[in-house]
Structures are given as structure tokens and as C-alpha cells.
Amino acid sequence: MMHLPILPILLPLLAGILLLLLRPLGLQVQRMVGFAAAFALLMLVVWLFDSALAGQRQVYALGNWPAPFGITLVFDQLAALMLLVTAILAVGALWYAIVTKIDAQGSHFHVLFQMQLFGLNGAFLTGDAFNLFVFFEVLLLASYSLLLHGGGKERTAAGLHYVVVNLVGSTVFLFALGALYGALGTLNIADMAAKVAELPAEREGLVMAAGLLLLLVFGLKAAMFPLYLWLPAAYARTSAPVAALFAIMTKVGVYAIIRVHGTVFGEDAGSLAYFYAPWLLGLGLITLLLAALGVLAAFRLRFQVAYLVLASVAMLLIAVGLHSETGLAAALYYLVHSTLLAGGLFLLADVIVRGRGAYADRFDPGMRLPHHALLGGLFMLAAVAALGLPPLSGFFGKLWILQAALEHPWRWAVLATVLISSALLLIALARSGSVLFYKVKDRSDAADPVLPTRIPAFGLSLVAVLWLLAAVPLLVVLAHPVAEVMQQIAAQTLDTAGYRAAVFDPAVGGK
């Protein structure tokens, strides 16, 4: 039991190494082993999530070196939630890649997929800021190759933009870590929180500057204004299963803000307590408006879904920027909803594109799709959930965030921005659904492109779409128990004293 916290890191790492060794045996073997590893990770994480809710924090000191001198992994309820969402997303994305044979379009897809999970899980579990940087680099290295999987001019251009932007972000990350280490003498998150609580006044400026640099880096990962321009092209032009997995990538940035800034600059940080929150809230509001305009202006379905991801990130930034327990609980509920919905939308968009033939994902009226009513119904379900309209989970998430905002001095700005952006999203998605499913031709003209009579692997690919979109009704049916769990996770996350106690005395565990 004491080694449980490291298992979500070891499993994809060992699976990736095994897949590399099995490559000579062919793609079919890799598919079976890769999917078995992803499903095994899901089962492991479900078990760990249940144990996290019932018990205390678990701290794992690699090499048995105590904090803050060694590498520390901290498994708490927030980390368990992020691991669970990632595992659910990974199973759906990998299944879709296999049944549509997208994984055969390039080399090492399954190895890179496992390495991506290795980096993601490590980022969620690490209790050290430098090792957070290391795991960021691991997941980014895998994402560079996954983004380019299948090749193509547009995909390569978007990939190069993504690589360059993230390399700059990694450099700034190191500068921020160097400044923090120079000022505090440690990069262990719990130890930094303890040092900031006793920080001399003459060092507050340096630590604040380093904290803002870190916010800049995490904002880049989350695609926060003005650092979001890389996201639409990167997500829209990569393959559908990779884009679905990337739905969690922006949430890594949000998680890092909650974990690092929320712990180091939490309520015990004296004059630096929550100094970052106004920046986060203000930039989140701007990001939401620009994302809504992007959804409205999108000329292709995949770009529209990419901007919807950006809008969901903006809602999370706003909720976290409220720096309250209610706001954080609402953010976690909305995070689960928006991440799985975005993954399902990317896969659904790809199914629609494969049915439209030469029309692809352009918003041009075309012929009636195969399985027209089913795909139209699923698109309407996803659109209503993304808009935050009742009775689906997006409505509960947005309403909860707005309720948390009522206690904040910026409440009118939050209410106005969310309502305006929701109206823009409604116009955009109503137009998209109309073009794709209502303004269709029953007869083709001579100049019209020929549409496929069937969508390849439709039934099997729809399994992955339904797997992810099932979160939308489930979060409604189970709204009350899920909300209670999110409140519990938020309370533990904001208990920075308990976090420090758990890290420095693992026997205590913290609550």
C-alpha cells in the first residue's frame, strides 16, 4: 500500500518501454498491449480515487529521502481527481485511434501515447516545483510528436508554432524556479509555503516577481490571454484522438496554478496571500470574451471545438481566481464536465467530417450525412452542454461558478462577461448545427462533391464518443453526490497547513 502513489507513474512508463520493445511484432500487438495498459491504468486510478476520498494524503519519498531534500510525490484528493479524468479520457481517445486506424498513420503512436500519460500523471503527483518542470518537459516532448502524427503541411506549421511557444515557456519556467530557489532556498512546494509564511519584507518583491513569472508559464500551458494563440490551430489540425487527449493539457496549467500558487501563496502567505488572484480573474475574463468571439468567427468545425476548449479554460481561470472554497469546488466540477465534453466533441467532429467527404469540417451546406439524425442529436446534446444551458451539466457548473462570484467584489464583471459570452456561443453553435444538419440537400447537383455512403468503423468509433459524452448526463443525475465530493476535494486542497504537515511528517498524513 505504501507504494501506491507511484504506480500511476510507473504503469505508463513501463508500458511505453514494453511497447517500444514489442514494435517488431507489429501494430496489432501494440494496440492490444497499449489499450490493456490504458484500461489497467483506469482501473488502478478508480481504486486510488476511492481510497483518496476515504483516507488521508499519501506522501511517497523516492529513495526514502525525506522532504525537502528528496523527490516527493503527494497523492491527495485533487491529484486523484486529475488522474481519474486523464485515465477516462485516455481510454476513449486510444480506442478511437485504434478502431479508425489513425494510429497506423505514423510511427511510435502507442509509445508516445503512454509517455504522454507518464508525463501527465507525474505532473499531477509531484510535490516539487522542479520535478513539475521535468514532467512538463516529458509530456511536452511526447505531445510534440503526437501533434505531428500523420504529417501534413498545416499540421506541421501548427506543430512548429506549438513547439516554439512551449520552448520559450520552458525557459521562463527555469528563470522563475531559479529566482524562487535563490529567495527561498527550496523548490519543494510545501517547504516553499513554509518559507513564504516567514518571508522577510525585503524579499517579498523578488518572490512576487517569481510567482508572476510562474503564473505566466502556467497561463501559457492553460492558454490564458494573451498566450492562447497557439491553441486553436494546434488542436484543430492534429488528429482527433490526439486532440481529445489534449483536452486535459490545458487543465494541467490550471492544476499547476491551484497546486503551486494556491499552496505557496495561500492564506498563510501574509502580505503575498492570493496576490495572483486579481491577475488570474482579470485575464480569465478577457480570455472568455475572446474565446467566445473565436467560436463565433470559426469557419471550420474543428476550430470551433478548439475555441470551445479555450472558453472552458477561461471559466476555470475565473472560478479559481475567485479564491474561495465554493469557487474551487465549482471549478473542479466544471473541469470534469468540460474536459470529457471537449474530448467527446473532438471525436464527434471527426465522425461528422468523415461523413461529409470533400466538405470536410467547413461550414458549407452539403448533402445529408449518413446516420444524420443520430449525429445531429449527439451534436445538439454536446452543444447544449457546452453552452451551459439547462438541464445538462454545463448549466450546473456555470451556475455554481456564478453563485461563488456573488460574494466577490468583481461579481458584476463576472456575471456580465459570462452572460455575454454565453450569448455569443449560443449564436455560433446554433448556426453551426443549422449548417451541418438542417441546411442540407436531399439531392446532389452535378457540381457537388460525392459523399461517402457510409462512415468507416462508425459503430466502433461511436463507442468512444458515447464513452466521453456520457459524463454530461451522469454529472446531472449524480449532481448532488458529485458536488459533495468536489466540496470535499476543495476543502482539502485549500488546507495548506495539512498539506505541509503531510509532506514533512508522512505518518500524520493530513486530512
PDB file of all heavy atoms in Angstrom, residues 345-361:
ATOM      1  N   LEU A 345     -16.337  15.938 -28.026  1.00  0.00           N
ATOM      2  CA  LEU A 345     -16.630  16.820 -29.161  1.00  0.00           C
ATOM      3  C   LEU A 345     -15.599  16.685 -30.273  1.00  0.00           C
ATOM      4  O   LEU A 345     -15.946  16.700 -31.464  1.00  0.00           O
ATOM      5  CB  LEU A 345     -16.700  18.273 -28.686  1.00  0.00           C
ATOM      6  CG  LEU A 345     -18.099  18.806 -28.359  1.00  0.00           C
ATOM      7  CD1 LEU A 345     -18.005  20.183 -27.725  1.00  0.00           C
ATOM      8  CD2 LEU A 345     -18.967  18.867 -29.618  1.00  0.00           C
ATOM      9  N   PHE A 346     -14.325  16.562 -29.927  1.00  0.00           N
ATOM     10  CA  PHE A 346     -13.302  16.376 -30.953  1.00  0.00           C
ATOM     11  C   PHE A 346     -13.530  15.064 -31.712  1.00  0.00           C
ATOM     12  O   PHE A 346     -13.392  15.019 -32.942  1.00  0.00           O
ATOM     13  CB  PHE A 346     -11.917  16.375 -30.321  1.00  0.00           C
ATOM     14  CG  PHE A 346     -11.335  17.747 -30.118  1.00  0.00           C
ATOM     15  CD1 PHE A 346     -11.024  18.208 -28.847  1.00  0.00           C
ATOM     16  CD2 PHE A 346     -11.090  18.582 -31.195  1.00  0.00           C
ATOM     17  CE1 PHE A 346     -10.488  19.467 -28.654  1.00  0.00           C
ATOM     18  CE2 PHE A 346     -10.561  19.856 -31.014  1.00  0.00           C
ATOM     19  CZ  PHE A 346     -10.252  20.295 -29.739  1.00  0.00           C
ATOM     20  N   LEU A 347     -13.885  14.005 -30.992  1.00  0.00           N
ATOM     21  CA  LEU A 347     -14.136  12.732 -31.651  1.00  0.00           C
ATOM     22  C   LEU A 347     -15.414  12.795 -32.487  1.00  0.00           C
ATOM     23  O   LEU A 347     -15.459  12.279 -33.617  1.00  0.00           O
ATOM     24  CB  LEU A 347     -14.241  11.614 -30.614  1.00  0.00           C
ATOM     25  CG  LEU A 347     -13.001  11.377 -29.735  1.00  0.00           C
ATOM     26  CD1 LEU A 347     -13.218  10.170 -28.841  1.00  0.00           C
ATOM     27  CD2 LEU A 347     -11.753  11.210 -30.571  1.00  0.00           C
ATOM     28  N   LEU A 348     -16.466  13.423 -31.957  1.00  0.00           N
ATOM     29  CA  LEU A 348     -17.714  13.569 -32.709  1.00  0.00           C
ATOM     30  C   LEU A 348     -17.494  14.400 -33.976  1.00  0.00           C
ATOM     31  O   LEU A 348     -18.033  14.072 -35.045  1.00  0.00           O
ATOM     32  CB  LEU A 348     -18.777  14.217 -31.826  1.00  0.00           C
ATOM     33  CG  LEU A 348     -20.141  14.489 -32.475  1.00  0.00           C
ATOM     34  CD1 LEU A 348     -20.780  13.191 -32.943  1.00  0.00           C
ATOM     35  CD2 LEU A 348     -21.056  15.228 -31.507  1.00  0.00           C
ATOM     36  N   ALA A 349     -16.716  15.469 -33.852  1.00  0.00           N
ATOM     37  CA  ALA A 349     -16.421  16.296 -35.026  1.00  0.00           C
ATOM     38  C   ALA A 349     -15.713  15.480 -36.105  1.00  0.00           C
ATOM     39  O   ALA A 349     -15.987  15.637 -37.300  1.00  0.00           O
ATOM     40  CB  ALA A 349     -15.559  17.490 -34.614  1.00  0.00           C
ATOM     41  N   ASP A 350     -14.831  14.581 -35.698  1.00  0.00           N
ATOM     42  CA  ASP A 350     -14.125  13.762 -36.675  1.00  0.00           C
ATOM     43  C   ASP A 350     -15.070  12.777 -37.353  1.00  0.00           C
ATOM     44  O   ASP A 350     -14.948  12.530 -38.569  1.00  0.00           O
ATOM     45  CB  ASP A 350     -12.983  13.011 -35.995  1.00  0.00           C
ATOM     46  CG  ASP A 350     -12.039  12.351 -36.990  1.00  0.00           C
ATOM     47  OD1 ASP A 350     -11.364  13.083 -37.737  1.00  0.00           O
ATOM     48  OD2 ASP A 350     -11.987  11.105 -37.031  1.00  0.00           O
ATOM     49  N   VAL A 351     -16.015  12.208 -36.601  1.00  0.00           N
ATOM     50  CA  VAL A 351     -17.009  11.319 -37.207  1.00  0.00           C
ATOM     51  C   VAL A 351     -17.824  12.088 -38.243  1.00  0.00           C
ATOM     52  O   VAL A 351     -18.082  11.595 -39.357  1.00  0.00           O
ATOM     53  CB  VAL A 351     -17.931  10.713 -36.124  1.00  0.00           C
ATOM     54  CG1 VAL A 351     -19.049   9.898 -36.771  1.00  0.00           C
ATOM     55  CG2 VAL A 351     -17.138   9.835 -35.167  1.00  0.00           C
ATOM     56  N   ILE A 352     -18.249  13.304 -37.908  1.00  0.00           N
ATOM     57  CA  ILE A 352     -19.015  14.141 -38.836  1.00  0.00           C
ATOM     58  C   ILE A 352     -18.189  14.457 -40.069  1.00  0.00           C
ATOM     59  O   ILE A 352     -18.676  14.379 -41.210  1.00  0.00           O
ATOM     60  CB  ILE A 352     -19.471  15.434 -38.134  1.00  0.00           C
ATOM     61  CG1 ILE A 352     -20.486  15.102 -37.035  1.00  0.00           C
ATOM     62  CG2 ILE A 352     -20.076  16.416 -39.129  1.00  0.00           C
ATOM     63  CD1 ILE A 352     -20.826  16.278 -36.132  1.00  0.00           C
ATOM     64  N   VAL A 353     -16.920  14.792 -39.878  1.00  0.00           N
ATOM     65  CA  VAL A 353     -16.041  15.129 -41.001  1.00  0.00           C
ATOM     66  C   VAL A 353     -15.878  13.930 -41.933  1.00  0.00           C
ATOM     67  O   VAL A 353     -15.914  14.070 -43.161  1.00  0.00           O
ATOM     68  CB  VAL A 353     -14.665  15.593 -40.475  1.00  0.00           C
ATOM     69  CG1 VAL A 353     -13.647  15.650 -41.614  1.00  0.00           C
ATOM     70  CG2 VAL A 353     -14.788  16.958 -39.806  1.00  0.00           C
ATOM     71  N   ARG A 354     -15.729  12.739 -41.377  1.00  0.00           N
ATOM     72  CA  ARG A 354     -15.577  11.539 -42.218  1.00  0.00           C
ATOM     73  C   ARG A 354     -16.850  11.224 -42.983  1.00  0.00           C
ATOM     74  O   ARG A 354     -16.812  10.582 -44.033  1.00  0.00           O
ATOM     75  CB  ARG A 354     -15.149  10.353 -41.353  1.00  0.00           C
ATOM     76  CG  ARG A 354     -13.721  10.476 -40.847  1.00  0.00           C
ATOM     77  CD  ARG A 354     -13.202   9.204 -40.217  1.00  0.00           C
ATOM     78  NE  ARG A 354     -13.863   8.894 -38.952  1.00  0.00           N
ATOM     79  CZ  ARG A 354     -14.507   7.765 -38.708  1.00  0.00           C
ATOM     80  NH1 ARG A 354     -14.600   6.838 -39.635  1.00  0.00           N
ATOM     81  NH2 ARG A 354     -15.069   7.555 -37.524  1.00  0.00           N
ATOM     82  N   GLY A 355     -17.987  11.702 -42.486  1.00  0.00           N
ATOM     83  CA  GLY A 355     -19.242  11.504 -43.195  1.00  0.00           C
ATOM     84  C   GLY A 355     -19.533  12.565 -44.232  1.00  0.00           C
ATOM     85  O   GLY A 355     -20.388  12.366 -45.102  1.00  0.00           O
ATOM     86  N   ARG A 356     -18.817  13.696 -44.171  1.00  0.00           N
ATOM     87  CA  ARG A 356     -19.080  14.793 -45.109  1.00  0.00           C
ATOM     88  C   ARG A 356     -18.182  14.754 -46.343  1.00  0.00           C
ATOM     89  O   ARG A 356     -18.338  15.562 -47.249  1.00  0.00           O
ATOM     90  CB  ARG A 356     -18.912  16.147 -44.409  1.00  0.00           C
ATOM     91  CG  ARG A 356     -19.864  16.370 -43.258  1.00  0.00           C
ATOM     92  CD  ARG A 356     -19.818  17.828 -42.801  1.00  0.00           C
ATOM     93  NE  ARG A 356     -20.714  18.666 -43.587  1.00  0.00           N
ATOM     94  CZ  ARG A 356     -20.443  19.901 -43.966  1.00  0.00           C
ATOM     95  NH1 ARG A 356     -19.273  20.437 -43.679  1.00  0.00           N
ATOM     96  NH2 ARG A 356     -21.317  20.610 -44.664  1.00  0.00           N
ATOM     97  N   GLY A 357     -17.217  13.842 -46.352  1.00  0.00           N
ATOM     98  CA  GLY A 357     -16.374  13.702 -47.529  1.00  0.00           C
ATOM     99  C   GLY A 357     -15.596  14.957 -47.843  1.00  0.00           C
ATOM    100  O   GLY A 357     -14.911  15.518 -46.980  1.00  0.00           O
ATOM    101  N   ALA A 358     -15.719  15.467 -49.074  1.00  0.00           N
ATOM    102  CA  ALA A 358     -14.944  16.630 -49.520  1.00  0.00           C
ATOM    103  C   ALA A 358     -15.358  17.914 -48.810  1.00  0.00           C
ATOM    104  O   ALA A 358     -14.599  18.882 -48.785  1.00  0.00           O
ATOM    105  CB  ALA A 358     -15.085  16.803 -51.032  1.00  0.00           C
ATOM    106  N   TYR A 359     -16.553  17.941 -48.219  1.00  0.00           N
ATOM    107  CA  TYR A 359     -16.962  19.129 -47.467  1.00  0.00           C
ATOM    108  C   TYR A 359     -16.140  19.272 -46.178  1.00  0.00           C
ATOM    109  O   TYR A 359     -16.030  20.366 -45.629  1.00  0.00           O
ATOM    110  CB  TYR A 359     -18.450  19.049 -47.094  1.00  0.00           C
ATOM    111  CG  TYR A 359     -19.385  19.241 -48.248  1.00  0.00           C
ATOM    112  CD1 TYR A 359     -20.037  18.159 -48.811  1.00  0.00           C
ATOM    113  CD2 TYR A 359     -19.635  20.505 -48.772  1.00  0.00           C
ATOM    114  CE1 TYR A 359     -20.919  18.318 -49.877  1.00  0.00           C
ATOM    115  CE2 TYR A 359     -20.508  20.684 -49.831  1.00  0.00           C
ATOM    116  CZ  TYR A 359     -21.150  19.581 -50.380  1.00  0.00           C
ATOM    117  OH  TYR A 359     -22.022  19.753 -51.423  1.00  0.00           O
ATOM    118  N   ALA A 360     -15.619  18.157 -45.707  1.00  0.00           N
ATOM    119  CA  ALA A 360     -14.773  18.124 -44.505  1.00  0.00           C
ATOM    120  C   ALA A 360     -15.477  18.840 -43.348  1.00  0.00           C
ATOM    121  O   ALA A 360     -16.662  18.635 -43.113  1.00  0.00           O
ATOM    122  CB  ALA A 360     -13.406  18.712 -44.799  1.00  0.00           C
ATOM    123  N   ASP A 361     -14.731  19.711 -42.638  1.00  0.00           N
ATOM    124  CA  ASP A 361     -15.329  20.393 -41.480  1.00  0.00           C
ATOM    125  C   ASP A 361     -15.698  21.832 -41.786  1.00  0.00           C
ATOM    126  O   ASP A 361     -15.950  22.615 -40.879  1.00  0.00           O
ATOM    127  CB  ASP A 361     -14.393  20.323 -40.276  1.00  0.00           C
ATOM    128  CG  ASP A 361     -13.095  21.077 -40.495  1.00  0.00           C
ATOM    129  OD1 ASP A 361     -12.712  21.290 -41.663  1.00  0.00           O
ATOM    130  OD2 ASP A 361     -12.452  21.447 -39.495  1.00  0.00           O
TER     131      ASP A 361
END
